[in-house]
């Protein structure tokens, strides 16, 4: 979603802002803009399309040591230059960038229009610029706070005034904002990727916090004048992690990184002597863990699929009833929060609005929520009652890949911990750990089949509809395979339980609709084979992901890809990687924008 960046210091602000916006590109956007303060006043440039379009209109030698910038993902108003941020007031004295949604913008607009304000855009955000201008009496902090008291909705904002050189006022409510503290320079941004090229010291703002910044100082308050005591935190991500490192796309790099990101998720968290997991941040005693009678996972998108895989393991191995629900649905259906149910909020970014609001709803009702996140210091990580970081490193491509397998790894460790407190024996725990530790080598061997997968993608990329089918613990993996394909290649793809096709989806089958089957050698294999035959009987094309040496599947399918043999619980990892590569190569074949697919945002911070 929208990205915001602000700078005050000694460098050319426009360069810092554009570099910062480029780091935020991965969030997804359709226009960008900057405002810089120099001797001419506030100078603003904005343009639809990629940041390169903005760069073409910003003079290379643009003066100014402070400024703000924005990448917009359109919500209110189409993708036009006028709707792009920053938005300025009529006198060009205020410039503002906003991430979030001002829900009461229509009534605020009417009020401002009655004052004679003329609006230049169709956005909700523009009201903020005019509101701050309305209340400005030589005190920017005061004006911003007054404006925000009238606002209903979510915001991460940065505001500057023509007469206050070097001063930026930032505020957040529901949309992330971080301060990067440099030497004689300060950065504000919607995430740390925009600042880590300059500093590793940061402060994460909380909701209803306002920060007043100049090149040397910062001061943080609530929406009134109560000062907040903020802890400066070390930002652990490295700049190289934000680079492509020789790969043509972040997505491919991140698929390949799974060989390292999976062990990163489990390393230091396994107790071999006791054949269990040790997870530091849960904030729960063993007694409390033993009292857990039910687990409920809330998530969205790929995280939802990862959570669903873990549900199967939780019930099979720990024998704890486990269910998963789309966070967006849970929030509005007045959920029943039971005393001994433990909730897990699963989110790569830790900023997904649906998941965050569901977490708050559960907590409001007295439920305990653990956060399973990737981004350290993210809102879900901070607001949950404890949790586990998945440590997959920055995931830049919009399509989630390495986070999916790292999420499953972290959830598997949590399941192991609970299972070993219940009926799982030491021997079974040890076998589980040994299987987990074999995964990186197996993932490596799968990466070596990439050319075969690329050739398969070339053969199939021009079909317009696909089914992805799996069963049991591999059913969510089929849904994830379909999601990967559709989101980056725009090929229509649906995931189903292979057993369900006879209840409707099989009507779609003809020579033009290939089915991608997940067929591990588990207890459900014979059932899945029957489903494959049903498709073949209707002239459907079948691609199968089977276990090495499986002749039976090879005989039925039109094309087969193989994964190494493992324990049934671990096939979701091995089945994920070839599907990710298949989606990647299909998108490449169709010349799609792999890392930033149309209409999508990496971190979905609006409802
Ligand atoms: O950051 P989160 O894990 O909460 O994000 C949830 C979804 O928005 C995300 O997984 C989305 O579905 C991805 N684009 C899938 O690749």
């Amino acid at each position: 979603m929208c990205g915001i960046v602000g700078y005050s210091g000694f460098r050319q602000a426009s360069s810092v802002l554009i570099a910062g916006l480029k780091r935020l590109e991965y969030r997804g956007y359709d226009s960008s803009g900057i405002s810089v303060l120099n001797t001419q006043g506030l100078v603003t440039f904005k343009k639809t399309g990629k940041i390169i379009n903005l760069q073409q209109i910003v003079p290379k030698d643009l003066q100014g040591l402070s400024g703000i910038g924005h990448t917009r993902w359109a919500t209110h108003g189409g993708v036009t230059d006028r709707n792009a941020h920053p938005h300025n007031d009529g006198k060009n004295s205020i410039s503002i960038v906003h991430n979030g949604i001002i829900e009461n913008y229509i009534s605020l607009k009417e009020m401002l229009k009655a004052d004679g304000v003329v609006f230049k855009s169709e956005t909700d955000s523009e009201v903020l610029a005019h509101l701050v201008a309305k209340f400005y009496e030589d005190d920017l902090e005061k004006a911003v706070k007054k404006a925000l008291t009238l606002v209903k909705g979510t915001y991460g904002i940065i505001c500057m005034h023509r007469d206050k050189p070097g001063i930026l006022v930032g505020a957040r409510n529901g949309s992330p904002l971080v301060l990067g503290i440099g030497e004689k320079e300060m950065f504000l941004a919607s995430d740390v990727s925009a600042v880590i090229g300059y500093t590793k010291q940061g402060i994460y703002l909380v909701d209803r916090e306002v920060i007043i910044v100049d090149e040397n100082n910062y001061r943080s308050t609530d929406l009134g004048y109560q000062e907040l005591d903020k802890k400066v935190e070390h930002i652990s991500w490295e700049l190289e992690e934000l680079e492509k490192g020789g790969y043509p796309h972040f997505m491919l790099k991140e698929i390949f990184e799974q060989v390292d990101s999976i062990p990163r998720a489990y390393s230091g968290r396994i107790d071999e002597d006791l054949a269990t997991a040790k997870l530091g941040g849960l904030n729960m005693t063993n007694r409390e863990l033993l009292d857990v009678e039910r687990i409920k996972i809330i998530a969205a998108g790929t995280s939802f699929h990862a959570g669903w895989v873990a549900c199967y393991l939780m019930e099979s191995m720990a024998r704890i009833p486990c269910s998963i629900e789309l966070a967006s649905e849970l929030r509005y259906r007045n959920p029943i929060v039971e005393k001994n149910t433990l909730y897990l909020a699963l989110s790569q970014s830790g900023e997904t609005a649906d998941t965050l609001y569901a977490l708050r709803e559960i907590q409001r009702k007295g439920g305990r929520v653990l956060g399973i996140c990737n981004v350290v210091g993210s809102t879900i990580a901070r607001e949950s009652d404890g949790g586990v970081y998945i440590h997959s490193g920055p995931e830049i491509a919009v399509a989630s890949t390495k986070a999916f397998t790292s999420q499953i790894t972290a959830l598997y460790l949590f399941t192991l911990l609970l299972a070993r407190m219940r009926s799982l024996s030491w021997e079974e725990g040890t076998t589980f750990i040994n299987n987990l530790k074999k995964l990186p080598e197996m993932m490596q061997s799968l990466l070596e089949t990439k050319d075969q997968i690329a050739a398969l993608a070339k053969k199939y990329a021009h079909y317009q509809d696909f089914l992805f089918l799996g069963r049991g613990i591999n059913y969510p993996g089929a849904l994830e395979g379909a999601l990967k394909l559709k989101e980056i290649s725009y090929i229509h793809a649906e995931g189903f339980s292979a057993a369900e096709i006879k209840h409707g989806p099989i009507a779609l089958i003809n020579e033009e609709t290939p089915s991608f089957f997940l067929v591990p050698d588990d207890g459900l294999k014979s059932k899945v084979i029957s489903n494959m035959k049903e498709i073949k009987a209707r002239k459907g094309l079948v691609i199968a992901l089977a276990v090495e040496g499986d002749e039976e599947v090879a005989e039925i399918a039109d094309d087969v890809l193989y994964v190494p043999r493992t324990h049934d619980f671990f096939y979701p990892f091995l089945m994920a990687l070839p599907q990710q590569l298949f989606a990647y190569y299909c998108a490449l074949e169709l010349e799609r924008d792999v890392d930033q697919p149309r209409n999508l945002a990496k971190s979905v911070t609006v409802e």
Side-chain angles (χ1 to χ4, degrees):
M1 303 255 115
C2 309
I4 58 179
V5 58
Y7 177 73
S8 177
F10 55 86
R11 303 175 204 250
Q12 186 195 31
S14 58
S15 307
V16 177
L17 296 172
I18 287 173
L21 292 180
K22 283 191 171 163
R23 294 276 180 214
L24 297 174
E25 271 191 304
Y26 78 97
R27 297 169 70 94
Y29 71 106
D30 37 50
S31 59
S32 61
I34 60 167
S35 278
V36 164
L37 183 60
N38 63 24
T39 48
Q40 292 162 27
L42 285 169
V43 214
T44 301
F45 300 89
K46 32 200 213 173
K47 201 77 197 146
T48 56
K50 296 285 179 192
I51 291 172
I52 183 93
N53 300 355
L54 175 68
Q55 281 178 289
Q56 277 160 4
I57 58 166
V58 174
K60 291 222 168 358
D61 56 352
L62 183 65
Q63 300 296 303
L65 302 175
S66 62
I68 56 180
H70 190 266
T71 46
R72 174 173 188 252
W73 188 83
T75 56
H76 295 60
V79 181
T80 64
D81 291 350
R82 274 172 182 271
N83 288 340
H85 297 217
H87 290 291
N88 298 0
D89 68 315
K91 292 186 185 148
N92 205 29
S93 57
I94 296 284
S95 195
I96 201 160
V97 286
H98 167 232
N99 181 6
I101 290 177
I102 306 300
E103 286 165 10
N104 59 337
Y105 80 101
I106 293 178
S107 58
L108 292 173
K109 212 167 170 175
E110 290 311 314
M111 176 188 90
L112 290 160
K113 274 183 180 168
D115 287 351
V117 169
V118 178
F119 281 82
K120 287 176 263 172
S121 77
E122 305 150 285
T123 66
D124 54 329
S125 309
E126 192 186 344
V127 296
L128 289 171
H130 298 292
L131 267 185
V132 175
K134 176 181 167 79
F135 296 125
Y136 183 80
E137 289 169 348
D138 202 35
D139 185 338
L140 186 58
E141 173 186 352
K142 196 171 169 187
V144 169
K145 286 178 174 171
K146 247 179 152 172
L148 292 179
T149 55
L150 296 184
V151 159
K152 286 202 187 100
T154 55
Y155 52 79
I157 58 161
I158 314 175
C159 183
M160 58 195 299
H161 193 283
R162 184 181 54 197
D163 299 338
K164 301 285 173 192
I167 292 182
L168 305 175
V169 177
R172 86 157 260 177
N173 186 41
S175 295
L177 198 59
V178 60
L179 171 74
I181 306 165
E183 277 287 313
K184 297 193 170 57
E185 57 183 347
M186 298 283 172
F187 306 82
L188 280 166
S190 39
D191 74 58
V192 294
S193 57
V195 310
I196 58 175
Y198 305 97
T199 177
K200 297 306 251 355
Q201 304 293 310
I203 283 179
Y204 298 93
L205 272 73
V206 295
D207 279 352
R208 308 182 74 71
E209 179 175 350
V210 179
I211 195 154
I212 302 93
V213 171
D214 65 27
E215 59 273 39
N216 293 310
N217 300 297
Y218 61 88
R219 186 166 50 80
S220 199
T221 75
D222 61 10
L223 277 181
Y225 283 86
Q226 180 68 45
E227 300 235 348
L228 304 177
D229 192 13
K230 301 294 292 187
K231 194 170 134 229
V232 178
E233 296 186 42
H234 176 74
I235 301 168
S236 60
W237 284 358
E238 298 298 333
L239 197 55
E240 305 81 68
E241 293 182 285
L242 301 175
E243 313 281 351
K244 286 191 194 141
Y247 287 89
H249 296 99
F250 281 110
M251 183 178 176
L252 190 63
K253 176 181 176 230
E254 288 158 10
I255 292 172
F256 271 68
E257 278 176 356
Q258 291 174 102
V259 172
D260 300 316
S261 56
I262 292 173
R264 247 197 334 263
Y266 66 64
S267 64
R269 289 169 161 177
I270 292 174
D271 185 330
E272 310 250 1
D273 291 341
L274 299 177
T276 189
K278 27 178 201 177
L279 297 168
L282 299 179
N283 295 339
M284 289 179 78
T285 62
N286 282 356
R287 178 55 61 90
E288 286 171 325
L289 288 169
L290 196 58
D291 283 343
V292 172
E293 288 174 1
R294 195 174 288 277
I295 302 235
K296 182 133 201 174
I297 304 179
I298 49 167
T302 290
S303 297
F304 179 78
H305 300 147
W308 200 347
V309 170
C311 270
Y312 278 90
L313 186 80
M314 187 64 78
E315 295 206 339
S316 310
M317 195 168 91
R319 305 301 293 157
I320 300 175
C322 182
S323 57
I324 180 147
E325 185 167 352
L326 290 170
S328 51
E329 290 300 322
L330 177 129
R331 184 190 175 197
Y332 288 108
R333 63 168 185 80
N334 197 9
I336 298 165
V337 173
E338 291 168 309
K339 210 168 166 209
N340 291 335
T341 297
L342 178 64
Y343 290 84
L344 307 181
L346 185 59
S347 172
Q348 184 283 129
S349 63
E351 301 294 348
T352 299
D354 290 327
T355 312
L356 176 62
Y357 296 148
L359 171 153
R360 287 178 180 162
E361 177 65 2
I362 294 160
Q363 285 180 331
R364 188 189 66 74
K365 292 186 163 195
R368 187 200 291 259
V369 189
L370 300 183
I372 318 287
C373 299
N374 186 33
V375 179
V376 175
S378 57
T379 311
I380 291 174
R382 280 184 290 111
E383 291 198 14
S384 49
D385 301 294
V388 183
Y389 282 118
I390 64 168
H391 294 313
S392 57
E395 192 180 64
I396 306 295
V398 164
S400 188
T401 53
K402 63 175 179 172
F404 176 72
T405 47
S406 295
Q407 284 172 328
I408 301 176
T409 308
L411 288 167
Y412 269 33
L413 290 180
F414 185 56
T415 308
L416 173 67
L417 175 70
L418 296 182
R420 284 284 294 127
M421 295 176 74
R422 291 166 171 81
S423 57
L424 196 77
S425 69
W426 184 89
E427 285 80 7
E428 288 165 326
T430 301
T431 306
F432 182 87
I433 291 167
N434 290 341
N435 281 317
L436 181 67
K437 287 166 79 177
K438 282 183 197 147
L439 281 176
E441 204 183 315
M442 292 179 169
M443 297 296 262
Q444 181 60 45
S445 73
L446 282 171
L447 289 173
E448 282 153 23
T449 64
K450 75 173 183 17
D451 292 341
Q452 194 194 341
I453 300 173
L456 195 72
K458 211 175 175 57
K459 176 172 168 189
Y460 282 96
H462 296 279
Y463 287 91
Q464 286 176 2
D465 301 283
F466 270 81
L467 301 191
F468 281 74
L469 304 162
R471 290 211 63 184
I473 200 167
N474 293 292
Y475 164 37
L479 304 186
E480 175 59 11
L483 176 60
K484 282 291 86 76
L485 186 65
K486 75 181 115 186
E487 73 178 324
I488 59 166
S489 72
Y490 320 147
I491 296 171
H492 173 236
E494 298 290 338
F496 296 103
S497 156
E500 275 296 298
I501 50 170
K502 58 186 178 289
H503 297 294
I506 201 163
L508 298 169
I509 295 301
N510 59 22
E511 302 88 328
E512 297 301 317
T513 309
S515 298
F516 199 116
F517 271 90
L518 311 188
V519 207
D521 193 4
D522 61 10
L524 289 167
K525 181 179 152 190
S526 60
K527 310 277 177 204
V528 179
I529 285 188
S530 301
N531 302 137
M532 284 169 65
K533 288 181 178 164
E534 286 157 14
I535 299 279
K536 286 306 307 167
R538 287 159 183 84
K539 298 195 169 55
L541 290 163
V542 167
I543 306 167
L545 249 182
V547 176
E548 271 163 1
D550 193 328
E551 298 293 332
E552 191 186 1
V553 172
E555 267 176 34
I556 306 164
D558 296 279
D559 288 283
V560 194
L561 295 170
Y562 289 111
V563 303
R565 181 172 299 281
T566 181
H567 184 280
D568 292 359
F569 291 153
F570 294 91
Y571 281 117
F573 293 90
L574 305 183
M575 297 275 159
L577 195 146
Q579 292 188 91
Q580 294 166 351
L581 281 174
F582 181 73
Y584 172 79
Y585 286 116
C586 283
L588 215 59
E589 181 65 21
L590 298 172
E591 297 181 2
R592 306 300 193 216
D593 187 347
V594 174
D595 286 337
Q596 289 161 31
R598 71 181 178 207
N599 304 337
L600 291 180
K602 181 68 183 164
S603 172
V604 187
T605 52
V606 295
E607 276 195 273

